Amino acid sequence: EIVLTQSPATLSLSPGEGATLSCRASQSVSSYVAWYQQKPGQAPRLLIYDASNRATGIPARFSGSGSGTDFTLTFSSLEPEDFAVYYCQQRFNKITFGQGTRLEIK
Amino acid sequence: EVQLVESGGGLVQPGGSLRLSCSASGFTFSTYPVHWVRQAPGKGLEFVSTVTSNGGSTYYADSVKGRFTISRDNSKNTVFLQMSSLRTDDTAVYYCVKDLLPSETYSHYFDYWGQGTLVTVSS
């Protein structure tokens, strides 16, 4: 099973700052990675698929990059509504999710 | 507007069975694969199962293979998850999820999610 390790576990930042979340795969997953945002009490929302493609309606301040084993989700400037938990997911070999990164307001 | 509404969750004893339903609207249901993804209380996300657009193929996580059965009725825009031999570690919110792409196979990217239904397995 491919294990996805997200770092950091928690990131404390202020609105307006930039942010970078990391997702590392235990073996190559090509570019078959997605990112999801989940707010408390809500279902997840797809942000990015195939490592760098924004899903419909996702603002341009969200961007994804990477291939092989290392992937990042980058925020150009955090908005108050961006504070949530973020999960990466791979679909290269079966389907697995990372354990999540909590992005909290500093 | 795409909507997915799950039902059928509840409390069940270990070893018991439960059938979840997912009613879909707002998209051409018969052209999209549909999935179930679950989330144990306070934990992360875990893929459960997939059914292709015509119902001809199914796919399961190893943790539920042989115990869960996914199916769909395209005439009623509904997907089902029959769960049997339930264990305490099956306790979770179960989300019905639409695939990103219309396809006879699946992309395994999940673009619309229901609000989930809670399944609690406990004696």
Side-chain angles (χ1 to χ4, degrees):
Chain A
E1 174 181 293
I2 296 176
V3 176
L4 299 180
T5 301
Q6 293 187 240
S7 61
T10 302
L11 185 58
S12 301
L13 293 170
S14 300
E17 291 190 277
T20 300
L21 277 55
S22 174
C23 176
R24 177 163 289 176
S26 58
Q27 63 188 77
S28 177
V29 295
S30 185
S31 295
Y32 296 126
V33 163
W35 290 91
Y36 299 85
Q37 175 194 68
Q38 187 177 30
K39 297 180 180 180
Q42 296 185 16
R45 177 173 70 145
L46 176 66
L47 301 174
I48 301 287
Y49 65 95
D50 283 344
S52 60
N53 294 308
R54 271 190 300 276
T56 302
I58 301 304
R61 66 179 182 273
F62 293 90
S63 64
S65 64
S67 65
T69 60
D70 291 299
F71 300 87
T72 58
L73 176 67
T74 301
F75 304 73
S76 58
S77 177
L78 287 166
E79 297 288 337
E81 62 267 27
D82 296 339
F83 292 89
V85 178
Y86 291 85
Y87 295 96
C88 59
Q89 174 232 332
Q90 66 82 22
R91 47 144 281 192
F92 179 77
N93 184 334
K94 300 187 179 182
I95 301 100
T96 54
F97 290 87
Q99 84 282 12
T101 288
R102 180 178 305 277
L103 181 56
E104 64 178 26
I105 297 178
K106 188 173 182 180
Chain B
E1 179 191 7
V2 173
Q3 285 196 315
L4 299 153
V5 180
E6 304 93 339
S7 60
L11 175 63
V12 60
Q13 292 188 335
S17 298
L18 210 57
R19 188 195 200 202
L20 305 184
S21 299
C22 170
S23 178
S25 60
F27 64 103
T28 307
F29 180 77
S30 62
T31 64
Y32 285 86
V34 176
H35 318 273
W36 291 92
V37 176
R38 68 186 181 184
Q39 187 170 34
K43 303 297 184 183
L45 302 168
E46 181 187 16
F47 168 79
V48 174
S49 185
T50 293
V51 62
T52 53
S53 55
N54 64 4
S57 294
T58 56
Y59 182 68
Y60 298 94
D62 290 343
S63 58
V64 306
K65 199 173 296 182
R67 301 188 299 122
F68 290 12
T69 302
I70 191 171
S71 61
R72 66 190 292 161
D73 183 343
N74 284 348
S75 69
K76 296 181 179 179
N77 284 13
T78 303
V79 174
F80 305 97
L81 185 68
Q82 178 68 48
M83 305 184 294
S84 60
S85 302
L86 282 162
R87 312 186 301 222
T88 55
D89 61 357
D90 292 319
T91 295
V93 172
Y94 284 73
Y95 292 104
C96 175
V97 189
K98 172 185 163 292
D99 197 278
L100 176 65
L101 300 177
S103 171
E104 290 186 358
T105 55
Y106 35 78
S107 74
H108 273 147
Y109 292 132
F110 313 123
D111 68 340
Y112 284 94
W113 299 58
Q115 282 305 300
T117 187
L118 177 62
V119 172
T120 303
V121 184
S122 174
S123 55

